[in-house]
Amino acid sequence: MNKENDPCLIDAAPTKPHRHYLVGDKLTIFGFGIPLIILIFLAALSYQSIQRLREHAGGVEHTQQVQIELEQLMSIYANARIGWRSFLITGNSEYQQKYEAAAQAIQLKIQSLKTLNTDNTRQQTRLSSFSSMVNDDIAAMRDSIKRKAAGTLAQPSNIVDQLNSVKLNSIELTALTQKMKEEEDTLLAIRVGQSEDSANHTKLILIVGNILSLTLLVLAFVCWRQEAQRRWTAEEARSKNEEHFRSVIQSANDAVISANGSGDIIFWNEGAHKIFGYLDQEVLGKPLTLLMPERYHAAHSHGMQRFLTTGEKHVIGKTIELRALKKNGTEFSMEISLAQWQSGGETFFSALIRDITDRKQVEEAALRSEERFRLMVESVVDYAILMLDAEGHIVSWNAGAERIKGYRADEILGQHFSRFYSSEDIEQGKPVYEIAGATANGRFEDEGWRVRKDGTLFWANVIITAIRSADGGLRGFVKVTRDLTERKQAEAKILSLNAGLQTRTTELMAANTDLEAFSYSVAHDLRSPLRKIVGYSTLLTEEHGTQLDPGAHTYLRKVREGALRMADLVDNLLNLAKLGKKELSSQSTSLNTILQSVIEELQSDYNDRQIEWRIGELFIANCDPGLIKQVFANLLLNALKYTRHRELAIIEIGSTVINSERVVFVRDNGIGFDMQYVGKLFKVFERLHGNDRFEGTGIGLATVERIIRKHDGRVWAEGESERGATFFFTLGSFVE
């Protein structure tokens, strides 16, 4: 690299000074005339310092006036918005007048600020932008006020929609005002500093000047000799340090770039090459604008000119973020720290630059994630989600919280969350207890009554979660509340219904017990008269049969048959009544074994008929063998009875799986039944065929249904007239 362009070599060590001076030169330099000249010079400096002090004081006062005017301008704009919103909501003409007064005052205030900032083009530009945006807002607000006055915004929903639809520039105005304030703050700091410097400078001149002039004669020669020696030593050390410093800068990963007062690059390290892509020979002597997007060129040139003219240093010594341009034309985010120094009467700058593209991407992703989360939380209406500070004061409020608790955000922010608790809970310290629980355990959950804005109570599920910083410090809490009032009311109603159902069940069980007892008693009491009817009618036939005519014998036979049928009916009723009281004696039982025993018992009674038995593989079930045997007996007797008119009776017993449920079936080719009457099959005394064709009491299938139900199963039938019938049943538990 050319040493002439190296900022580290600017103002390099001078040639070694001469160690001998002429006596005349010493007298000329350090003679008595020097103190007098110094005093005159100090007087002139004092006068100039006083003049600058006055100028700087006036500048400070001017800057403060601009700041006050800016604050008043934003206050008037806020009053205009308040008057506008209040008029749209209430229709009160006083708010419209407040709006109109504020709208007029804004224009006057903007004109006043423009007058105060006639010498500041940036502020003038910002004020013009501010005036344009404010005029747009005023026009939008005035249009909605006219619509309100005309009656087209009568409904609250229309007013809310209008408030949401009018896109105001309040955020941009606030940001623009903040920039103007920041510039005025910078000017104020500079002018206050200059004023203080002038004052201190004047004092220093007056106090120190005289002392300096009196002591200069004695110290000048000694100081000169010491300074000459020190400079000689310092220049030698500086030369060595510059070499070390240059090697450190060249090896740095960050870019180190230096430029002269004209903005041309005079130093370029290896880090700059890695970040920007240029070699040093490609950029040395080129303007700094080479590294900037074109949209920043004019602002850079203007800033450099202003600095060289005014000496303003508002970015020197600060770390700022900017956009930069690589050799390949891509933009990236950089962090830059600027330093400035003088050498040989010329101004130079150095910049330490770091590529922060990755960091900005992470920050932007975090901001997007935070924004998505915020929008999600604000849009939730079924849950009240709010943030509390470490003391329990509310710092955020979503739409769900407003819906559930009734407060608007501006009514509740900053309030303590204990406002949602009853006075009794507050006296008992419940809010404090919940906060303490969340602090100690990280999370607290509770259900209880809470209070809405209108004083009504609602049943709430509340979860409070503590939020801590990376070092474990408590930052606040997240409180999530869900309104469970409807569920609470439903639970209370269910409990009430269950209590009523339990009472009704108890009553039905008692009535059923009484009915079974009554049936058993009636059936038992009928047995004795029936036995007498059968006995006496038999004796009458045997002992006096010769005296009776054939018609009397027919009557006596019908009496005995009726009595015997009645006796069978009584026995069946007794058996049916006993089923209700009988406890199941369940055991693992093979259904095929039970079926085979039933068939063997029935076979002897039907040897004179042609019967084809088709027996399939059944299951092993947990059941009461005696009761299941009765089921098979009733179903097979039923099949045998209704196939008696078939030359060949076919009775099939098997098993299948229907909808993942094991099913046993008994199928015959008998006379069947019409499916429209299937609902009568399993009811007591209900028969689909008369006694003149088929005997029976109408209790057999009812007994089957009762037994299957006791086994937690179900029974049903399918049939077709003259094409047979099939009876199906399931049991609550099959082993395999």
Side-chain angles (χ1 to χ4, degrees):
M1 180 181 294
N2 191 337
K3 292 187 177 182
E4 293 179 357
N5 293 327
D6 191 339
C8 298
L9 300 180
I10 293 175
D11 197 20
T15 57
K16 186 175 180 180
H18 296 289
R19 296 181 176 273
H20 57 278
Y21 296 93
L22 297 174
V23 174
D25 292 335
K26 294 180 181 179
L27 291 177
T28 301
I29 298 173
F30 300 106
F32 291 101
I34 295 300
L36 180 60
I37 295 173
I38 290 175
L39 287 175
I40 296 172
F41 180 68
L42 290 175
L45 287 179
S46 297
Y47 176 78
Q48 292 178 354
S49 296
I50 292 172
Q51 290 298 109
R52 284 197 299 271
L53 180 60
R54 290 177 179 174
E55 292 174 0
H56 294 155
V60 169
E61 182 178 358
H62 175 271
T63 303
Q64 290 174 338
Q65 181 63 31
V66 171
Q67 290 178 325
I68 292 171
E69 293 285 323
L70 283 173
E71 291 290 343
Q72 291 176 350
L73 176 59
M74 288 308 296
S75 176
I76 294 170
Y77 173 73
N79 288 338
R81 289 192 63 193
I82 291 171
W84 166 64
R85 293 177 65 91
S86 300
F87 177 75
L88 289 186
I89 294 171
T90 65
N92 192 329
S93 60
E94 292 182 2
Y95 291 118
Q96 183 181 6
Q97 295 172 1
K98 180 177 180 180
Y99 158 78
E100 293 294 343
Q104 295 176 7
I106 286 174
Q107 301 303 323
L108 295 176
K109 190 60 66 177
I110 291 175
Q111 187 58 44
S112 176
L113 279 167
K114 286 184 176 180
T115 302
L116 286 172
N117 286 276
T118 53
D119 59 340
N120 192 328
T121 56
R122 281 203 313 277
Q123 295 291 62
Q124 288 285 345
T125 301
R126 290 169 180 158
L127 283 170
S128 297
S129 299
F130 187 98
S131 177
S132 177
M133 287 189 284
V134 165
N135 288 337
D136 291 342
D137 287 357
I138 293 299
M141 289 188 283
R142 181 171 287 117
D143 178 67
S144 57
I145 287 174
K146 289 179 179 179
R147 293 179 63 191
K148 173 66 177 181
T152 59
L153 295 176
Q155 296 298 324
S157 60
N158 293 338
I159 295 173
V160 172
D161 291 341
Q162 182 64 20
L163 287 173
N164 292 332
S165 66
V166 175
K167 304 299 183 181
L168 300 183
N169 299 303
S170 57
I171 297 177
E172 291 83 355
L173 290 172
T174 302
L176 192 57
T177 305
Q178 184 63 31
K179 290 181 179 179
M180 289 190 284
K181 288 181 179 179
E182 289 174 356
E183 176 146 347
E184 293 301 326
D185 288 340
T186 302
L187 290 174
L188 180 61
I190 293 172
R191 289 167 179 171
V192 168
Q194 290 173 341
S195 179
E196 291 175 352
D197 289 343
S198 297
N200 294 333
H201 187 59
T202 301
K203 292 178 183 178
L204 184 63
I205 290 172
L206 294 174
I207 296 172
V208 179
N210 290 324
I211 298 174
L212 180 62
S213 63
L214 294 174
T215 57
L216 185 61
L217 289 173
V218 179
L219 298 177
F221 182 73
V222 176
C223 290
W224 177 83
R225 289 178 63 87
Q226 291 177 345
E227 179 64 18
Q229 184 62 36
R230 185 164 54 251
R231 286 188 61 184
W232 176 261
T233 304
E235 289 298 335
E236 290 181 340
R238 176 185 173 186
S239 178
K240 295 179 181 179
N241 289 337
E242 283 178 352
E243 291 297 330
H244 175 70
F245 182 64
R246 185 183 300 106
S247 64
V248 171
I249 289 178
Q250 285 292 353
S251 62
N253 289 324
D254 293 335
V256 179
I257 303 171
S258 294
N260 57 25
S262 300
D264 297 327
I265 300 171
I266 60 174
F267 179 79
W268 186 263
N269 77 331
E270 184 61 25
H273 165 63
K274 293 177 181 178
I275 292 176
F276 289 92
Y278 290 101
L279 297 172
D280 54 359
Q281 60 265 29
E282 295 178 297
V283 295
L284 291 177
K286 300 291 182 62
L288 286 170
T289 52
L290 179 69
L291 311 177
M292 305 175 189
E294 187 175 355
R295 60 184 180 276
Y296 299 134
H297 289 186
H300 169 73
S301 300
H302 181 71
M304 284 289 294
Q305 186 61 38
R306 185 178 65 253
F307 173 80
L308 295 174
T309 303
T310 65
E312 180 183 335
K313 300 187 294 184
H314 65 280
V315 297
I316 301 300
K318 296 181 180 179
T319 299
I320 56 177
E321 293 182 6
L322 295 172
R323 298 288 291 175
L325 190 67
K326 294 186 177 183
K327 180 180 179 180
N328 60 12
T330 59
E331 290 189 19
F332 68 97
S333 296
M334 69 173 180
E335 186 177 74
I336 180 171
S337 298
L338 291 174
Q340 170 262 330
W341 78 92
Q342 300 285 333
S343 179
E346 187 178 355
T347 301
F348 296 90
F349 303 92
S350 286
L352 179 64
I353 297 173
R354 176 169 296 172
D355 185 347
I356 59 171
T357 303
D358 293 340
R359 190 182 79 188
K360 293 296 291 184
Q361 290 175 348
V362 171
E363 291 175 354
E364 290 172 1
L367 286 174
R368 288 194 298 271
S369 176
E370 181 180 345
E371 179 66 12
R372 286 195 298 268
F373 179 75
R374 182 185 64 79
L375 293 174
M376 180 191 71
V377 169
E378 289 181 353
S379 64
V380 171
V381 296
D382 292 331
Y383 292 84
I385 304 174
L386 50 145
M387 298 283 295
L388 308 176
D389 63 16
E391 287 74 38
H393 296 96
I394 302 166
V395 296
S396 75
W397 192 255
N398 79 326
E402 181 173 341
R403 184 187 69 82
I404 292 173
K405 301 178 184 290
Y407 294 94
R408 299 192 312 274
D410 57 354
E411 296 176 313
I412 200 66
L413 291 178
Q415 302 292 324
H416 198 271
F417 83 106
S418 59
R419 293 191 64 172
F420 311 133
Y421 293 75
S422 64
S423 56
E424 293 81 5
D425 285 345
I426 294 174
E427 290 175 0
Q428 295 173 6
K430 190 169 184 177
V432 177
Y433 171 75
E434 292 182 355
I435 284 290
T439 303
N441 304 315
R443 184 178 185 274
F444 181 88
E445 184 171 1
D446 179 51
E447 285 194 9
W449 292 107
R450 298 294 187 270
V451 183
R452 292 189 176 93
K453 177 184 176 181
D454 59 7
T456 58
L457 299 178
F458 67 99
W459 187 262
N461 172 264
V462 178
I463 299 175
I464 301 176
T465 305
I467 301 175
R468 297 188 177 276
S469 58
D471 59 1
L474 181 65
R475 299 184 60 183
F477 304 90
V478 175
K479 183 172 180 286
V480 180
T481 303
R482 187 180 181 188
D483 186 354
L484 301 180
T485 306
E486 292 182 359
R487 192 187 77 178
K488 186 71 174 176
Q489 293 171 345
E491 289 175 352
K493 187 175 181 180
I494 290 172
L495 290 175
S496 176
L497 291 173
N498 285 341
L501 182 61
Q502 184 66 33
T503 302
R504 182 60 178 162
T505 301
T506 303
E507 293 174 351
L508 289 174
M509 290 178 65
N512 190 51
T513 301
D514 293 342
L515 183 60
E516 288 182 348
F518 174 75
S519 299
Y520 185 83
S521 175
V522 169
H524 186 274
D525 292 342
L526 283 174
R527 276 184 164 185
S528 179
L530 288 173
R531 282 196 298 268
K532 290 180 180 181
I533 292 172
V534 173
Y536 284 120
S537 62
T538 302
L539 287 174
L540 184 61
T541 301
E542 292 176 351
E543 296 179 1
H544 304 284
T546 57
Q547 303 174 13
L548 299 174
D549 58 24
H553 281 285
T554 300
Y555 295 150
L556 286 174
R557 180 174 57 79
K558 289 185 177 293
V559 167
R560 281 197 305 273
E561 289 177 354
L564 289 172
R565 186 171 180 276
M566 182 75 123
D568 289 340
L569 187 60
V570 168
D571 288 339
N572 289 333
L573 281 173
L574 286 174
N575 291 332
L576 189 62
K578 289 177 182 178
L579 281 176
K581 298 179 180 180
K582 179 177 174 59
E583 294 293 334
L584 290 179
S585 178
S586 297
Q587 54 186 288
S588 181
T589 305
S590 170
L591 298 184
N592 280 98
T593 302
I594 296 176
L595 175 63
Q596 195 62 42
S597 67
V598 172
I599 292 175
E600 289 175 358
E601 292 176 2
L602 295 176
Q603 191 75 37
S604 59
D605 295 333
Y606 296 93
N607 286 331
D608 58 337
R609 292 180 54 187
Q610 290 187 349
I611 301 173
E612 181 181 338
W613 297 94
R614 298 178 180 178
I615 302 172
E617 186 67 27
L618 304 183
F619 304 111
I620 295 176
N622 287 321
C623 62
D624 187 317
L627 293 179
I628 297 303
K629 183 176 181 180
Q630 189 174 350
V631 168
F632 276 119
N634 285 344
L635 292 177
L636 293 181
L637 283 170
N638 211 54
L640 289 167
K641 179 169 58 176
Y642 291 110
T643 57
R644 69 171 55 162
H645 299 302
R646 296 287 187 257
E647 183 177 347
L648 174 63
I650 300 174
I651 301 175
E652 181 182 1
I653 305 98
S655 64
T656 186
V657 176
I658 301 176
N659 295 328
S660 302
E661 188 176 26
R662 294 176 177 180
V663 179
V664 178
F665 64 86
V666 177
R667 181 178 293 118
D668 64 66
N669 64 336
I671 64 171
F673 60 89
D674 191 337
M675 282 296 290
Q676 65 177 317
Y677 303 115
V678 70
K680 296 182 177 182
L681 280 178
F682 301 101
K683 294 182 179 179
V684 179
F685 304 134
E686 292 283 357
R687 304 193 66 223
L688 302 185
H689 306 285
N691 286 327
D692 55 337
R693 295 187 63 193
F694 299 98
E695 72 281 357
T697 61
I699 296 178
L701 291 180
T703 301
V704 169
E705 193 274 337
R706 182 76 62 88
I707 292 172
I708 295 300
R709 185 152 39 88
K710 285 181 73 70
H711 283 79
D712 296 327
R714 56 193 182 91
V715 62
W716 69 97
E718 296 177 358
E720 185 177 351
S721 294
E722 301 301 330
R723 297 181 67 86
T726 305
F727 288 85
F728 304 89
F729 69 85
T730 66
L731 297 174
S733 176
F734 286 100
V735 176
E736 62 180 12

